[in-house]
Amino acid sequence: MDKQELLVRTAFKLFYTRGIHAVGVNLVLAESGIAKRTLYHHFPSKEHLVEAAVRYRDRSYRAWLISRLENVPAGKSALLELFNAFDDWFHSRVPDIDHFNGCFFINASAEFGDRDNPIHRACAEHKADITASIRRHVDELALSKELTEEITSLVVLLKEGAISMAHVQGNLNAALEAKGILKNILNSYASE
């Protein structure tokens, strides 16, 4: 792993566990063992490092989630598998994406609330990409356009709600509860 990658991975782990504003570059340097000059060679500011950490998490998170959804048939099975994947994540059974500490994208966008900020925009892009992945599986259900939009929104809201319930309230079974709700609704509209 090169020094730039080591800096990004170290920064991500610290930002994810402690919060972005709570972590200074000196801690990132101490944890990574990399010199300050090297850090500023790759990242002109802490915000550039934060944005790189967001993009790193986006790549690793999407790769994990897409691989989970590709292991089952598209459509209803994949939509339900989404919540099995989250259940594994909430219970920290996914070493590829670290232990569960809430949604890094929600956390980062809250710390950089200006929607024009590059960090906030990167978080919004991630959420839009995940929604598009969900939409592709809802499209497989061959429902009307209106119902496809509604089911897509429902899945996204269940997903976001489960993440929030797991992190904020400590309900680590929230993903399976959301899956049960979704399964009941999908059974009304689509067969396996």
Side-chain angles (χ1 to χ4, degrees):
M1 175 182 334
D2 68 12
K3 290 181 180 183
Q4 183 176 5
E5 182 75 9
L6 178 59
L7 281 166
V8 170
R9 288 183 182 206
T10 302
F12 164 73
K13 286 179 188 272
L14 291 167
F15 295 153
Y16 186 51
T17 56
R18 299 183 186 191
I20 295 167
H21 290 315
V23 172
V25 293
N26 288 335
L27 181 57
V28 174
L29 295 172
E31 292 287 320
S32 66
I34 293 178
K36 188 178 276 192
R37 183 176 177 171
T38 302
L39 172 97
Y40 286 114
H41 170 75
H42 293 292
F43 305 102
S45 69
K46 180 182 174 184
E47 280 202 16
H48 286 90
L49 179 60
V50 173
E51 184 179 357
V54 168
R55 297 210 182 272
Y56 162 76
R57 176 59 165 200
D58 174 59
R59 287 188 308 274
S60 61
Y61 182 92
R62 279 195 298 134
W64 161 72
L65 192 57
I66 289 168
S67 74
R68 285 292 297 259
L69 300 183
E70 287 177 346
N71 285 327
V72 297
K76 182 179 177 181
S77 295
L79 292 170
L80 296 175
E81 178 62 20
L82 174 74
F83 293 96
N84 292 333
F86 284 134
D87 185 59
D88 286 344
W89 178 37
F90 296 169
H91 287 91
S92 297
R93 296 186 295 246
V94 186
D96 293 349
I97 60 167
D98 298 306
H99 67 285
F100 177 70
N101 194 35
C103 176
F104 184 61
F105 305 99
I106 292 171
N107 300 345
S109 65
E111 291 197 49
F112 295 88
D114 177 1
R115 292 177 193 270
D116 292 328
N117 182 288
I119 294 163
H120 193 100
R121 282 197 318 265
C123 294
E125 288 168 14
H126 166 82
K127 294 294 185 178
D129 288 345
I130 297 299
T131 298
S133 294
I134 289 168
R135 172 63 188 257
R136 285 191 288 279
H137 289 288
V138 176
D139 284 341
E140 293 289 323
L141 302 177
L143 303 170
S144 69
K145 182 178 180 183
E146 181 179 300
L147 198 49
T148 296
E149 295 289 337
E150 287 180 17
I151 297 294
T152 301
S153 293
L154 173 72
V155 174
V156 170
L157 290 169
L158 284 170
K159 171 187 78 76
E160 294 296 328
I163 294 168
S164 178
M165 295 284 293
H167 183 60
V168 176
Q169 296 179 332
N171 179 0
L172 299 183
N173 294 318
L176 296 182
E177 292 169 13
K179 178 184 171 185
I181 294 167
L182 179 61
K183 187 174 186 178
N184 288 337
I185 291 169
L186 293 179
N187 284 341
S188 301
Y189 297 106
S191 59
E192 289 283 345

